[in-house]
Amino acid sequence: MSRSGAAAEKADSRQRPQMKVNEYKENQNIAYVSLRPVQTTVLIKTAKVYLAPFSLSNYQLDQLMCPKSLLEKNSNNEVACKKTKIKKTCRRIIPPKMKTTSSKSESTRQYSSSAVHTESNKLQPKRKADAMNLSVDVESSQDGDSDEDITPGLDDFSGLSPYERKRLKNISENADFFASLQLSESAARLREIIKKRQPPKSKRKKPKRENEVGCRRSMRLLKVDPLGVSLPATPTPPTLVADETPLLPPGPLEMTSENQEDNERFKGFLHTWAGMNKPSSKNTEKGLSSIKSYRANLNGMVISEDTVYKVTTGPIFSMALHPSETRTLVAVGAKFGQLGLCDLTQQPKEDGVYVFHPHSQPVSCLYFSPANPAHILSLSYDGTLRCGDFSRAIFEEVYRNERSSFSSFDFLSEDASTLIVGHWDGNMSLVDRRTPGTSYEKLTSSSMGKIRTVHVHPVHRQYFITAGLRDTHIYDARQLKSRGSQPLISLTEHTKSIASAYFSPVTGNRVVTTCADCNLSATLFNLTSFKKYIVFLTRHNTFTGRWLTRFQAMWDPKQEDCVIVGSMAHPRRVEIFHETGKRVHSFGGECLVSVCSINAMHPTRYILAGGNSSGKIHVFMNEKSC
């Protein structure tokens, strides 16, 4: 058996120089570590090496002992040789501060990290030979086990590759480096510093000392007399908030002038206008004149300094001309409830201006009574409708409603006995002057949110038109209901707030509307068939702004196909348009330097009066009339 073993050993020795080993080439710059086993090929057979991760701090000394499997399966001669080689290999890879104990004849050694590092540097040239010897030993052991793979345990370090040994060395060096930084000690010192810090002390208010003298205070403010006795509390009277525009007392008001102190002259003025007769119906029923003759008459109307009057202190909101054919009287309603009368035939002109105060808020509508020229009716925002009687020198109260604000009115009958009154909240009132009291006969609500103007048809007086926020409605007074009165016709040509809407003065077949969308519209309609046709829609600047009174286009009573309206153009002017949209005439002059928002034409004479927002009136008339 010894001879056969020696022969086999000689054969193996002959084959050893011919083996080729695939060595691992170390790369110091490798950032990624793979745990796959390194396969070593020796001739035909392959030695498999199984690696397992471990930590130096967790392993015990008895786990690092050399394996006994290789020693037990070989012959006595091979065992002695292989033991020596395995011991050398184990000594090279044992990390520092690790003890190995063996029950047999192995000694215990302890190396420091510096000694291991020095020894590893010295043994680097021998790694190739050691790897070859380790491969041969594994091959021989495999021959004795009938070509079966032997899986090394965790304690078998003989199969580690140079890469694994280098990795263990790096782990040891990193552990020493982090230990030299003393991070745990620095963290402990920081914790102690944080614990030693004390929270900020809260600021406490110092209690006041009893003997400390405070600031001196006035005994008068403390309501204490000099002897130290408290004074009785004085009762404070209730503060009354004065109304900016208090309502005038109900009932008739005396007609007294605010700007004229000569009573004799004022009485003469009242006596003159009280004796005015009603104009003849022949002059008022004249037919339409041609445009050429009408334009020629307009060209003869001029303005001068003598026909410019300062009447009221505030902006003019309404205007009316007396229908007299012998004298010229202009009535204006102002913002602060004033009613001004200007007699153009009185000289000097300052003596012909009389101002009254029958209302407390703006006077938005004025009319001379068609039945009695000595009566003038005025309507105000304060919810009152009064009639000024020149013969009795009083302002009689016709209608009063303190819960609502009035906007406009008109006569439903030719004798001026019944009225239709429009409210700012969209309601309408029927008033009969023949019944005693100052209340309404019927109060109805319309489908409009607001009513600005009310105008009655000149022929069929049961119909009237109202101008609201966006729409213009025509109602029948006979069909008014207490709630939800529906209009007969609705005009919806405009897109913004409508300022006014008026029937033509003779036939009533046309309606002119003034809107904030800078458009003037004239509509032709038939009340019998309830059909409407837009005659013209022309552009006109109606943006007056905040401080000027809004424009209101009016028909000329003598020429019902022509419209009179103010203008924002420079130089200042008052314009007249035909129903086709063409400009017929433009009034202007050196004496007209302001915007005339409210205008009125005499029903029979060629006299035009325009009022501005400072209380002045500008009168255009023929030179013969002057």
Side-chain angles (χ1 to χ4, degrees):
M1 293 296 294
S2 59
R3 294 180 180 179
S4 61
E9 184 177 0
K10 290 180 180 181
D12 295 337
S13 61
R14 294 175 183 176
Q15 295 178 359
R16 286 177 183 173
Q18 298 176 2
M19 68 176 64
K20 294 181 181 180
V21 180
N22 292 336
E23 297 182 358
Y24 178 82
K25 296 182 179 180
E26 298 179 359
N27 189 356
Q28 301 295 336
N29 298 326
I30 293 177
Y32 177 77
V33 177
S34 175
L35 297 179
R36 295 181 180 178
V38 179
Q39 297 181 358
T40 305
T41 305
V42 180
L43 295 177
I44 299 174
K45 296 184 179 181
T46 303
K48 295 182 179 180
V49 180
Y50 294 88
L51 303 180
F54 67 95
S55 175
L56 296 177
S57 60
N58 295 332
Y59 279 95
Q60 298 179 0
L61 297 176
D62 55 354
Q63 295 178 353
L64 300 177
M65 295 174 59
C66 297
K68 302 176 182 181
S69 59
L70 298 177
L71 299 176
E72 296 176 357
K73 296 182 178 181
N74 293 332
S75 61
N76 296 330
N77 297 332
E78 294 175 354
V79 167
C81 181
K82 291 178 181 178
K83 281 184 178 179
T84 304
K85 294 179 180 180
I86 290 173
K87 288 180 181 179
K88 291 181 180 180
T89 306
C90 291
R91 290 192 189 107
R92 290 176 189 142
I93 65 174
I94 288 176
K97 299 180 182 180
M98 185 176 294
K99 298 179 181 181
T100 58
T101 58
S102 176
S103 59
K104 297 181 180 182
S105 60
E106 293 184 357
S107 62
T108 303
R109 295 181 182 182
Q110 182 177 356
Y111 298 95
S112 62
S113 59
S114 58
V116 173
H117 181 67
T118 306
E119 185 179 358
S120 61
N121 293 335
K122 293 179 180 181
L123 296 178
Q124 283 182 1
K126 300 179 181 181
R127 287 176 180 173
K128 183 175 181 181
D130 294 339
M132 293 175 63
N133 295 333
L134 180 61
S135 300
V136 173
D137 295 339
V138 172
E139 180 183 357
S140 61
S141 63
Q142 290 177 350
D143 294 337
D145 292 341
S146 303
D147 297 337
E148 293 181 358
D149 294 338
I150 299 175
T151 303
L154 294 175
D155 297 336
D156 191 2
F157 289 91
S158 60
L160 294 179
S161 65
Y163 167 73
E164 288 297 323
R165 292 193 296 273
K166 182 65 176 176
R167 187 176 69 86
L168 295 176
K169 174 186 174 183
N170 292 339
I171 292 173
S172 177
E173 292 178 355
N174 292 338
D176 294 341
F177 173 73
F178 281 107
S180 64
L181 295 178
Q182 298 180 355
L183 296 178
S184 60
E185 297 178 359
S186 301
R189 287 196 301 270
L190 290 176
R191 294 191 192 97
E192 293 178 359
I193 293 173
I194 294 173
K195 291 180 180 179
K196 289 181 180 180
R197 290 182 181 179
Q198 297 180 357
K201 296 181 180 180
S202 60
K203 297 182 180 179
R204 297 180 180 178
K205 296 182 179 179
K206 296 182 179 180
K208 293 184 178 180
R209 298 179 182 177
E210 296 180 356
N211 299 331
E212 186 177 358
V213 180
C215 299
R216 295 183 60 187
R217 299 183 64 183
S218 173
M219 300 183 69
R220 178 180 60 82
L221 297 177
L222 295 175
K223 296 182 180 181
V224 178
D225 62 357
L227 298 178
V229 181
S230 60
L231 298 176
T234 57
T236 57
T239 57
L240 299 177
V241 180
D243 190 2
E244 296 181 357
T245 57
L247 293 177
L248 297 178
L253 299 176
E254 186 179 357
M255 188 179 289
T256 57
S257 177
E258 294 183 351
N259 62 331
Q260 296 291 344
E261 297 180 357
D262 192 350
N263 293 331
E264 296 296 332
R265 184 187 306 151
F266 178 62
K267 290 180 180 179
F269 169 79
L270 294 178
H271 180 72
T272 300
W273 289 103
M276 284 293 171
N277 297 324
K278 183 179 179 180
S280 61
S281 59
K282 294 181 180 180
N283 296 331
T284 57
E285 294 178 357
K286 289 182 178 179
L288 292 176
S289 60
S290 62
I291 294 297
K292 291 184 179 180
S293 61
Y294 179 68
R295 185 181 286 111
N297 292 326
L298 296 177
N299 292 332
M301 299 170 63
V302 295
I303 187 174
S304 63
E305 294 181 0
D306 295 335
T307 58
V308 178
Y309 293 82
K310 173 67 175 178
V311 181
T312 61
T313 57
I316 295 176
F317 275 46
S318 57
M319 181 177 291
L321 266 71
H322 195 277
S324 174
E325 298 179 358
T326 58
R327 300 179 69 93
T328 305
L329 180 64
V330 181
V332 296
K335 179 179 180 180
F336 303 109
Q338 297 172 328
L339 176 62
L341 297 176
C342 182
D343 188 356
L344 274 66
T345 57
Q346 184 72 32
Q347 294 297 331
K349 66 178 185 178
E350 290 79 8
D351 296 341
V353 177
Y354 298 90
V355 180
F356 309 97
H357 209 147
H359 301 280
S360 60
Q361 293 184 17
V363 180
S364 58
C365 192
L366 275 178
Y367 283 111
F368 284 98
S369 175
N372 190 351
H375 290 176
I376 180 171
L377 284 84
S378 60
L379 178 139
S380 175
Y381 288 3
D382 60 3
T384 58
L385 175 62
R386 295 182 180 272
C387 175
D389 190 352
F390 296 144
S391 60
R392 295 189 298 168
I394 62 172
F395 287 99
E396 184 182 3
E397 194 171 58
V398 177
Y399 177 40
R400 185 183 185 92
N401 188 350
E402 297 181 359
R403 298 181 180 179
S404 181
S405 180
F406 301 156
S407 59
S408 180
F409 82 99
D410 200 1
F411 303 103
L412 283 173
S413 60
E414 295 182 358
D415 59 355
S417 59
T418 57
L419 310 174
I420 180 71
V421 179
H423 300 238
W424 280 109
D425 57 2
N427 294 332
M428 296 176 290
S429 300
L430 290 176
V431 180
D432 193 345
R433 299 176 62 188
R434 296 168 294 184
T435 58
T438 59
S439 181
Y440 55 83
E441 297 296 327
K442 181 186 291 186
L443 179 64
T444 178
S445 62
S446 65
S447 58
M448 307 178 70
K450 183 180 292 186
I451 295 178
R452 296 185 183 276
T453 60
V454 175
H455 194 237
V456 177
H457 196 275
V459 179
H460 307 284
R461 305 194 72 88
Q462 69 272 17
Y463 301 114
F464 62 92
I465 187 171
T466 60
L469 293 176
R470 297 289 187 275
D471 301 334
T472 303
H473 294 172
I474 298 177
Y475 292 91
D476 189 348
R478 301 168 298 181
Q479 299 179 3
L480 293 179
K481 300 178 182 179
S482 59
R483 293 183 181 180
S485 298
Q486 297 298 325
L488 300 177
I489 302 177
S490 297
L491 308 178
T492 58
E493 287 80 15
H494 297 287
T495 58
K496 292 187 178 181
S497 176
I498 299 175
S500 62
Y502 295 102
F503 286 110
S504 56
V506 180
T507 61
N509 294 334
R510 302 172 180 85
V511 173
V512 60
T513 56
T514 309
C515 184
D517 59 1
C518 296
N519 285 323
L520 289 180
S521 174
T523 306
L524 179 66
F525 63 92
N526 189 352
L527 288 176
T528 58
S529 60
F530 299 107
K531 293 183 179 180
K532 57 183 179 179
Y533 309 95
I534 298 177
V535 179
F536 80 93
L537 184 67
T538 182
R539 295 287 297 176
H540 187 73
N541 187 5
T542 59
F543 185 73
T544 56
R546 178 181 179 183
W547 305 108
L548 301 181
T549 308
R550 295 185 66 178
F551 290 162
Q552 292 185 4
M554 303 285 293
W555 295 100
D556 188 348
K558 303 180 298 297
Q559 193 80 15
E560 71 164 5
D561 57 352
C562 293
V563 178
I564 305 169
V565 66
S567 176
M568 295 293 294
H570 289 275
R572 300 305 184 187
R573 66 194 71 174
V574 178
E575 296 177 329
I576 296 181
F577 292 92
H578 192 257
E579 65 178 4
T580 58
K582 296 181 180 179
R583 184 186 292 107
V584 177
H585 187 72
S586 179
F587 295 98
E590 296 179 356
C591 298
L592 181 62
V593 293
S594 59
V595 177
C596 292
S597 302
I598 306 298
N599 302 277
M601 182 73 81
H602 196 277
T604 58
R605 302 163 61 189
Y606 283 92
I607 298 176
L608 173 66
N612 63 8
S613 296
S614 62
K616 287 185 178 182
I617 61 172
H618 303 77
V619 181
F620 295 84
M621 60 176 60
N622 290 327
E623 296 180 357
K624 296 180 181 180
S625 301
C626 298

